[in-house]
mmCIF file of all heavy atoms in Angstrom:
data_model
loop_
_atom_site.group_PDB
_atom_site.id
_atom_site.type_symbol
_atom_site.label_atom_id
_atom_site.label_comp_id
_atom_site.label_asym_id
_atom_site.label_seq_id
_atom_site.Cartn_x
_atom_site.Cartn_y
_atom_site.Cartn_z
ATOM 1 N N MET N 2 13.628 -2.477 17.120
ATOM 2 C CA MET N 2 13.042 -2.290 15.799
ATOM 3 C C MET N 2 11.512 -2.272 15.894
ATOM 4 O O MET N 2 10.872 -1.359 15.399
ATOM 5 C CB MET N 2 13.515 -3.425 14.880
ATOM 6 C CG MET N 2 12.910 -3.393 13.485
ATOM 7 S SD MET N 2 13.672 -2.133 12.484
ATOM 8 C CE MET N 2 12.720 -2.292 10.998
ATOM 9 N N ALA N 3 10.939 -3.308 16.499
ATOM 10 C CA ALA N 3 9.482 -3.383 16.615
ATOM 11 C C ALA N 3 8.949 -2.251 17.490
ATOM 12 O O ALA N 3 7.882 -1.693 17.202
ATOM 13 C CB ALA N 3 9.076 -4.735 17.186
ATOM 14 N N ARG N 4 9.686 -1.903 18.554
ATOM 15 C CA ARG N 4 9.230 -0.824 19.424
ATOM 16 C C ARG N 4 9.289 0.518 18.704
ATOM 17 O O ARG N 4 8.380 1.345 18.843
ATOM 18 C CB ARG N 4 10.080 -0.787 20.690
ATOM 19 C CG ARG N 4 9.408 0.015 21.800
ATOM 20 C CD ARG N 4 10.086 -0.223 23.127
ATOM 21 N NE ARG N 4 11.366 0.481 23.155
ATOM 22 C CZ ARG N 4 12.329 0.266 24.052
ATOM 23 N NH1 ARG N 4 12.157 -0.656 24.976
ATOM 24 N NH2 ARG N 4 13.450 0.935 24.015
ATOM 25 N N ALA N 5 10.326 0.719 17.906
ATOM 26 C CA ALA N 5 10.424 1.963 17.145
ATOM 27 C C ALA N 5 9.302 2.056 16.120
ATOM 28 O O ALA N 5 8.720 3.124 15.903
ATOM 29 C CB ALA N 5 11.785 2.042 16.458
ATOM 30 N N LEU N 6 8.986 0.918 15.474
ATOM 31 C CA LEU N 6 7.898 0.910 14.498
ATOM 32 C C LEU N 6 6.565 1.210 15.175
ATOM 33 O O LEU N 6 5.761 1.992 14.663
ATOM 34 C CB LEU N 6 7.853 -0.448 13.797
ATOM 35 C CG LEU N 6 6.767 -0.620 12.740
ATOM 36 C CD1 LEU N 6 7.029 0.320 11.574
ATOM 37 C CD2 LEU N 6 6.735 -2.058 12.253
ATOM 38 N N ARG N 7 6.355 0.625 16.355
ATOM 39 C CA ARG N 7 5.109 0.871 17.088
ATOM 40 C C ARG N 7 5.027 2.329 17.516
ATOM 41 O O ARG N 7 3.963 2.950 17.437
ATOM 42 C CB ARG N 7 5.046 -0.047 18.305
ATOM 43 C CG ARG N 7 3.668 -0.090 18.941
ATOM 44 C CD ARG N 7 3.615 -1.054 20.117
ATOM 45 N NE ARG N 7 3.980 -2.408 19.716
ATOM 46 C CZ ARG N 7 4.924 -3.140 20.330
ATOM 47 N NH1 ARG N 7 5.581 -2.658 21.357
ATOM 48 N NH2 ARG N 7 5.193 -4.367 19.918
ATOM 49 N N GLN N 8 6.142 2.893 17.940
ATOM 50 C CA GLN N 8 6.150 4.296 18.353
ATOM 51 C C GLN N 8 5.877 5.209 17.163
ATOM 52 O O GLN N 8 5.135 6.182 17.277
ATOM 53 C CB GLN N 8 7.508 4.622 18.971
ATOM 54 C CG GLN N 8 7.531 5.943 19.690
ATOM 55 C CD GLN N 8 8.854 6.142 20.423
ATOM 56 O OE1 GLN N 8 9.808 5.413 20.192
ATOM 57 N NE2 GLN N 8 8.908 7.132 21.292
ATOM 58 N N TRP N 9 6.450 4.884 15.993
ATOM 59 C CA TRP N 9 6.197 5.691 14.800
ATOM 60 C C TRP N 9 4.739 5.596 14.398
ATOM 61 O O TRP N 9 4.122 6.583 14.016
ATOM 62 C CB TRP N 9 7.099 5.214 13.656
ATOM 63 C CG TRP N 9 6.979 6.091 12.452
ATOM 64 C CD1 TRP N 9 7.736 7.191 12.179
ATOM 65 C CD2 TRP N 9 6.071 5.958 11.353
ATOM 66 N NE1 TRP N 9 7.335 7.744 10.991
ATOM 67 C CE2 TRP N 9 6.325 7.013 10.463
ATOM 68 C CE3 TRP N 9 5.057 5.038 11.054
ATOM 69 C CZ2 TRP N 9 5.598 7.180 9.281
ATOM 70 C CZ3 TRP N 9 4.330 5.210 9.882
ATOM 71 C CH2 TRP N 9 4.607 6.263 9.014
ATOM 72 N N LEU N 10 4.157 4.389 14.478
ATOM 73 C CA LEU N 10 2.747 4.229 14.133
ATOM 74 C C LEU N 10 1.846 5.012 15.088
ATOM 75 O O LEU N 10 0.832 5.567 14.662
ATOM 76 C CB LEU N 10 2.368 2.743 14.164
ATOM 77 C CG LEU N 10 2.711 1.958 12.907
ATOM 78 C CD1 LEU N 10 2.416 0.477 13.119
ATOM 79 C CD2 LEU N 10 1.949 2.476 11.707
ATOM 80 N N GLU N 11 2.214 5.065 16.365
ATOM 81 C CA GLU N 11 1.397 5.820 17.314
ATOM 82 C C GLU N 11 1.452 7.312 17.017
ATOM 83 O O GLU N 11 0.457 8.013 17.179
ATOM 84 C CB GLU N 11 1.866 5.551 18.738
ATOM 85 C CG GLU N 11 1.454 4.176 19.240
ATOM 86 C CD GLU N 11 2.049 3.863 20.600
ATOM 87 O OE1 GLU N 11 2.753 4.719 21.167
ATOM 88 O OE2 GLU N 11 1.805 2.734 21.088
ATOM 89 N N THR N 12 2.590 7.814 16.564
ATOM 90 C CA THR N 12 2.696 9.247 16.288
ATOM 91 C C THR N 12 2.151 9.602 14.906
ATOM 92 O O THR N 12 1.654 10.700 14.705
ATOM 93 C CB THR N 12 4.157 9.711 16.397
ATOM 94 O OG1 THR N 12 4.963 8.893 15.554
ATOM 95 C CG2 THR N 12 4.649 9.607 17.821
ATOM 96 N N HIS N 13 2.246 8.668 13.933
ATOM 97 C CA HIS N 13 1.798 8.940 12.565
ATOM 98 C C HIS N 13 0.687 7.973 12.152
ATOM 99 O O HIS N 13 0.674 7.474 11.041
ATOM 100 C CB HIS N 13 2.961 8.792 11.584
ATOM 101 C CG HIS N 13 4.105 9.711 11.844
ATOM 102 N ND1 HIS N 13 5.108 9.409 12.739
ATOM 103 C CD2 HIS N 13 4.409 10.927 11.330
ATOM 104 C CE1 HIS N 13 5.968 10.403 12.750
ATOM 105 N NE2 HIS N 13 5.574 11.338 11.919
ATOM 106 N N GLU N 14 -0.230 7.721 13.075
ATOM 107 C CA GLU N 14 -1.202 6.657 12.845
ATOM 108 C C GLU N 14 -2.067 6.919 11.615
ATOM 109 O O GLU N 14 -2.192 6.063 10.732
ATOM 110 C CB GLU N 14 -2.083 6.517 14.081
ATOM 111 C CG GLU N 14 -2.889 5.239 14.091
ATOM 112 C CD GLU N 14 -3.564 5.011 15.424
ATOM 113 O OE1 GLU N 14 -3.428 5.859 16.322
ATOM 114 O OE2 GLU N 14 -4.231 3.988 15.554
ATOM 115 N N LEU N 15 -2.655 8.112 11.531
ATOM 116 C CA LEU N 15 -3.573 8.405 10.425
ATOM 117 C C LEU N 15 -2.835 8.428 9.096
ATOM 118 O O LEU N 15 -3.311 7.887 8.089
ATOM 119 C CB LEU N 15 -4.259 9.748 10.685
ATOM 120 C CG LEU N 15 -5.386 10.087 9.715
ATOM 121 C CD1 LEU N 15 -6.507 9.068 9.837
ATOM 122 C CD2 LEU N 15 -5.921 11.484 9.982
ATOM 123 N N ALA N 16 -1.647 9.028 9.079
ATOM 124 C CA ALA N 16 -0.871 9.095 7.843
ATOM 125 C C ALA N 16 -0.483 7.691 7.373
ATOM 126 O O ALA N 16 -0.518 7.395 6.178
ATOM 127 C CB ALA N 16 0.379 9.950 8.049
ATOM 128 N N ALA N 17 -0.131 6.811 8.306
ATOM 129 C CA ALA N 17 0.254 5.457 7.933
ATOM 130 C C ALA N 17 -0.936 4.685 7.378
ATOM 131 O O ALA N 17 -0.800 3.943 6.402
ATOM 132 C CB ALA N 17 0.839 4.736 9.143
ATOM 133 N N ILE N 18 -2.106 4.857 7.979
ATOM 134 C CA ILE N 18 -3.302 4.162 7.490
ATOM 135 C C ILE N 18 -3.653 4.648 6.093
ATOM 136 O O ILE N 18 -3.948 3.851 5.196
ATOM 137 C CB ILE N 18 -4.469 4.377 8.479
ATOM 138 C CG1 ILE N 18 -4.185 3.635 9.787
ATOM 139 C CG2 ILE N 18 -5.777 3.904 7.874
ATOM 140 C CD1 ILE N 18 -5.171 3.949 10.882
ATOM 141 N N ILE N 19 -3.616 5.961 5.890
ATOM 142 C CA ILE N 19 -3.931 6.516 4.572
ATOM 143 C C ILE N 19 -2.930 6.027 3.535
ATOM 144 O O ILE N 19 -3.306 5.642 2.418
ATOM 145 C CB ILE N 19 -3.960 8.065 4.649
ATOM 146 C CG1 ILE N 19 -5.160 8.517 5.492
ATOM 147 C CG2 ILE N 19 -4.034 8.670 3.262
ATOM 148 C CD1 ILE N 19 -5.173 9.998 5.768
ATOM 149 N N ALA N 20 -1.650 6.023 3.879
ATOM 150 C CA ALA N 20 -0.633 5.563 2.932
ATOM 151 C C ALA N 20 -0.822 4.090 2.602
ATOM 152 O O ALA N 20 -0.674 3.680 1.444
ATOM 153 C CB ALA N 20 0.759 5.803 3.532
ATOM 154 N N ALA N 21 -1.173 3.280 3.590
ATOM 155 C CA ALA N 21 -1.385 1.857 3.335
ATOM 156 C C ALA N 21 -2.585 1.641 2.432
ATOM 157 O O ALA N 21 -2.537 0.838 1.492
ATOM 158 C CB ALA N 21 -1.577 1.123 4.660
ATOM 159 N N VAL N 22 -3.669 2.356 2.681
ATOM 160 C CA VAL N 22 -4.868 2.205 1.848
ATOM 161 C C VAL N 22 -4.581 2.650 0.418
ATOM 162 O O VAL N 22 -4.953 1.967 -0.542
ATOM 163 C CB VAL N 22 -6.039 2.999 2.465
ATOM 164 C CG1 VAL N 22 -7.210 3.083 1.492
ATOM 165 C CG2 VAL N 22 -6.494 2.343 3.758
ATOM 166 N N LEU N 23 -3.905 3.781 0.264
ATOM 167 C CA LEU N 23 -3.561 4.254 -1.084
ATOM 168 C C LEU N 23 -2.634 3.275 -1.789
ATOM 169 O O LEU N 23 -2.792 3.007 -2.983
ATOM 170 C CB LEU N 23 -2.895 5.637 -0.998
ATOM 171 C CG LEU N 23 -3.852 6.796 -0.764
ATOM 172 C CD1 LEU N 23 -3.071 8.107 -0.658
ATOM 173 C CD2 LEU N 23 -4.882 6.900 -1.868
ATOM 174 N N GLY N 24 -1.682 2.703 -1.062
ATOM 175 C CA GLY N 24 -0.780 1.731 -1.658
ATOM 176 C C GLY N 24 -1.517 0.492 -2.134
ATOM 177 O O GLY N 24 -1.242 -0.020 -3.223
ATOM 178 N N VAL N 25 -2.464 0.008 -1.344
ATOM 179 C CA VAL N 25 -3.244 -1.171 -1.749
ATOM 180 C C VAL N 25 -4.086 -0.853 -2.974
ATOM 181 O O VAL N 25 -4.147 -1.646 -3.919
ATOM 182 C CB VAL N 25 -4.123 -1.641 -0.567
ATOM 183 C CG1 VAL N 25 -5.160 -2.652 -1.037
ATOM 184 C CG2 VAL N 25 -3.255 -2.243 0.522
ATOM 185 N N ILE N 26 -4.724 0.314 -3.001
ATOM 186 C CA ILE N 26 -5.568 0.682 -4.143
ATOM 187 C C ILE N 26 -4.727 0.801 -5.407
ATOM 188 O O ILE N 26 -5.091 0.292 -6.472
ATOM 189 C CB ILE N 26 -6.318 1.999 -3.839
ATOM 190 C CG1 ILE N 26 -7.386 1.755 -2.760
ATOM 191 C CG2 ILE N 26 -6.959 2.563 -5.089
ATOM 192 C CD1 ILE N 26 -8.044 3.014 -2.277
ATOM 193 N N VAL N 27 -3.584 1.468 -5.312
ATOM 194 C CA VAL N 27 -2.727 1.649 -6.488
ATOM 195 C C VAL N 27 -2.196 0.313 -6.983
ATOM 196 O O VAL N 27 -2.200 0.036 -8.190
ATOM 197 C CB VAL N 27 -1.576 2.626 -6.152
ATOM 198 C CG1 VAL N 27 -0.521 2.610 -7.246
ATOM 199 C CG2 VAL N 27 -2.126 4.031 -5.979
ATOM 200 N N SER N 28 -1.756 -0.556 -6.075
ATOM 201 C CA SER N 28 -1.212 -1.842 -6.511
ATOM 202 C C SER N 28 -2.304 -2.717 -7.123
ATOM 203 O O SER N 28 -2.048 -3.403 -8.120
ATOM 204 C CB SER N 28 -0.543 -2.549 -5.338
ATOM 205 O OG SER N 28 -1.458 -2.754 -4.298
ATOM 206 N N LEU N 29 -3.501 -2.702 -6.574
ATOM 207 C CA LEU N 29 -4.589 -3.487 -7.155
ATOM 208 C C LEU N 29 -4.967 -2.976 -8.539
ATOM 209 O O LEU N 29 -5.190 -3.764 -9.455
ATOM 210 C CB LEU N 29 -5.817 -3.451 -6.238
ATOM 211 C CG LEU N 29 -5.801 -4.434 -5.073
ATOM 212 C CD1 LEU N 29 -7.062 -4.262 -4.234
ATOM 213 C CD2 LEU N 29 -5.699 -5.866 -5.567
ATOM 214 N N SER N 30 -5.034 -1.658 -8.709
ATOM 215 C CA SER N 30 -5.386 -1.124 -10.018
ATOM 216 C C SER N 30 -4.287 -1.419 -11.031
ATOM 217 O O SER N 30 -4.585 -1.759 -12.185
ATOM 218 C CB SER N 30 -5.640 0.380 -9.919
ATOM 219 O OG SER N 30 -4.481 1.045 -9.467
ATOM 220 N N LEU N 31 -3.031 -1.321 -10.625
ATOM 221 C CA LEU N 31 -1.938 -1.672 -11.536
ATOM 222 C C LEU N 31 -2.000 -3.146 -11.921
ATOM 223 O O LEU N 31 -1.796 -3.499 -13.087
ATOM 224 C CB LEU N 31 -0.592 -1.370 -10.875
ATOM 225 C CG LEU N 31 -0.081 0.052 -11.022
ATOM 226 C CD1 LEU N 31 1.207 0.244 -10.226
ATOM 227 C CD2 LEU N 31 0.176 0.380 -12.479
ATOM 228 N N LEU N 32 -2.309 -3.999 -10.952
ATOM 229 C CA LEU N 32 -2.423 -5.435 -11.229
ATOM 230 C C LEU N 32 -3.553 -5.704 -12.213
ATOM 231 O O LEU N 32 -3.395 -6.501 -13.153
ATOM 232 C CB LEU N 32 -2.658 -6.179 -9.921
ATOM 233 C CG LEU N 32 -2.582 -7.700 -9.971
ATOM 234 C CD1 LEU N 32 -1.138 -8.134 -10.198
ATOM 235 C CD2 LEU N 32 -3.097 -8.291 -8.679
ATOM 236 N N LEU N 33 -4.691 -5.033 -12.038
ATOM 237 C CA LEU N 33 -5.806 -5.218 -12.963
ATOM 238 C C LEU N 33 -5.451 -4.730 -14.362
ATOM 239 O O LEU N 33 -5.758 -5.401 -15.358
ATOM 240 C CB LEU N 33 -7.041 -4.466 -12.451
ATOM 241 C CG LEU N 33 -7.796 -5.137 -11.312
ATOM 242 C CD1 LEU N 33 -8.895 -4.218 -10.792
ATOM 243 C CD2 LEU N 33 -8.395 -6.456 -11.765
ATOM 244 N N VAL N 34 -4.812 -3.572 -14.455
ATOM 245 C CA VAL N 34 -4.465 -3.022 -15.771
ATOM 246 C C VAL N 34 -3.458 -3.915 -16.475
ATOM 247 O O VAL N 34 -3.628 -4.259 -17.641
ATOM 248 C CB VAL N 34 -3.927 -1.584 -15.615
ATOM 249 C CG1 VAL N 34 -3.289 -1.101 -16.909
ATOM 250 C CG2 VAL N 34 -5.054 -0.658 -15.199
ATOM 251 N N VAL N 35 -2.402 -4.320 -15.784
ATOM 252 C CA VAL N 35 -1.377 -5.159 -16.404
ATOM 253 C C VAL N 35 -1.941 -6.537 -16.741
ATOM 254 O O VAL N 35 -1.675 -7.085 -17.805
ATOM 255 C CB VAL N 35 -0.150 -5.259 -15.475
ATOM 256 C CG1 VAL N 35 0.844 -6.286 -15.980
ATOM 257 C CG2 VAL N 35 0.520 -3.890 -15.338
ATOM 258 N N GLY N 36 -2.749 -7.102 -15.831
ATOM 259 C CA GLY N 36 -3.362 -8.395 -16.103
ATOM 260 C C GLY N 36 -4.307 -8.335 -17.294
ATOM 261 O O GLY N 36 -4.299 -9.220 -18.149
ATOM 262 N N GLY N 37 -5.108 -7.294 -17.370
ATOM 263 C CA GLY N 37 -5.995 -7.132 -18.515
ATOM 264 C C GLY N 37 -5.235 -6.945 -19.807
ATOM 265 O O GLY N 37 -5.619 -7.481 -20.860
ATOM 266 N N TYR N 38 -4.132 -6.221 -19.745
ATOM 267 C CA TYR N 38 -3.318 -6.031 -20.953
ATOM 268 C C TYR N 38 -2.748 -7.360 -21.441
ATOM 269 O O TYR N 38 -2.787 -7.655 -22.637
ATOM 270 C CB TYR N 38 -2.185 -5.043 -20.650
ATOM 271 C CG TYR N 38 -1.181 -4.915 -21.784
ATOM 272 C CD1 TYR N 38 -1.502 -4.161 -22.904
ATOM 273 C CD2 TYR N 38 0.054 -5.544 -21.719
ATOM 274 C CE1 TYR N 38 -0.605 -4.047 -23.947
ATOM 275 C CE2 TYR N 38 0.964 -5.435 -22.752
ATOM 276 C CZ TYR N 38 0.636 -4.680 -23.861
ATOM 277 O OH TYR N 38 1.516 -4.576 -24.891
ATOM 278 N N PHE N 39 -2.259 -8.189 -20.506
ATOM 279 C CA PHE N 39 -1.693 -9.472 -20.909
ATOM 280 C C PHE N 39 -2.785 -10.431 -21.372
ATOM 281 O O PHE N 39 -2.518 -11.326 -22.185
ATOM 282 C CB PHE N 39 -0.882 -10.085 -19.779
ATOM 283 C CG PHE N 39 0.507 -9.508 -19.670
ATOM 284 C CD1 PHE N 39 0.945 -8.905 -18.498
ATOM 285 C CD2 PHE N 39 1.381 -9.552 -20.750
ATOM 286 C CE1 PHE N 39 2.224 -8.377 -18.406
ATOM 287 C CE2 PHE N 39 2.650 -9.011 -20.663
ATOM 288 C CZ PHE N 39 3.073 -8.427 -19.500
ATOM 289 N N LEU N 40 -3.997 -10.288 -20.856
ATOM 290 C CA LEU N 40 -5.097 -11.127 -21.324
ATOM 291 C C LEU N 40 -5.505 -10.747 -22.744
ATOM 292 O O LEU N 40 -5.849 -11.609 -23.557
ATOM 293 C CB LEU N 40 -6.305 -10.990 -20.401
ATOM 294 C CG LEU N 40 -6.250 -11.819 -19.109
ATOM 295 C CD1 LEU N 40 -7.470 -11.494 -18.250
ATOM 296 C CD2 LEU N 40 -6.227 -13.300 -19.422
ATOM 297 N N VAL N 41 -5.488 -9.443 -23.059
ATOM 298 C CA VAL N 41 -5.974 -8.971 -24.357
ATOM 299 C C VAL N 41 -4.933 -9.229 -25.444
ATOM 300 O O VAL N 41 -5.280 -9.633 -26.562
ATOM 301 C CB VAL N 41 -6.337 -7.473 -24.272
ATOM 302 C CG1 VAL N 41 -6.604 -6.903 -25.659
ATOM 303 C CG2 VAL N 41 -7.563 -7.314 -23.400
ATOM 304 N N THR N 42 -3.662 -9.008 -25.137
ATOM 305 C CA THR N 42 -2.647 -9.157 -26.178
ATOM 306 C C THR N 42 -2.386 -10.634 -26.449
ATOM 307 O O THR N 42 -2.320 -11.432 -25.516
ATOM 308 C CB THR N 42 -1.331 -8.479 -25.752
ATOM 309 O OG1 THR N 42 -0.950 -8.993 -24.470
ATOM 310 C CG2 THR N 42 -1.486 -6.978 -25.662
ATOM 311 N N PRO N 43 -2.249 -11.010 -27.709
ATOM 312 C CA PRO N 43 -2.044 -12.427 -28.051
ATOM 313 C C PRO N 43 -0.634 -12.921 -27.713
ATOM 314 O O PRO N 43 0.280 -12.162 -27.575
ATOM 315 C CB PRO N 43 -2.264 -12.471 -29.560
ATOM 316 C CG PRO N 43 -2.105 -11.070 -30.028
ATOM 317 C CD PRO N 43 -2.383 -10.168 -28.856
#
């Protein structure tokens, strides 16, 4: 399992990094939007 994951990362390294960065950005923005909504609504 770990060896297959490492092999996939070596072949798709740039795509995996881009996907991880986009995932972090999207999840952080969703967290901020939802958190702000719950803060504003009584």
Side-chain angles (χ1 to χ4, degrees):
M2 177 76 183
R4 197 167 74 194
L6 180 65
R7 193 178 302 127
Q8 192 173 13
W9 186 90
L10 278 174
E11 286 174 2
T12 54
H13 300 85
E14 194 170 2
L15 188 63
I18 291 172
I19 292 173
V22 169
L23 283 178
V25 167
I26 290 173
V27 168
S28 59
L29 278 179
S30 61
L31 274 175
L32 189 70
L33 283 173
V34 168
V35 171
Y38 173 77
F39 279 122
L40 279 176
V41 170
T42 54

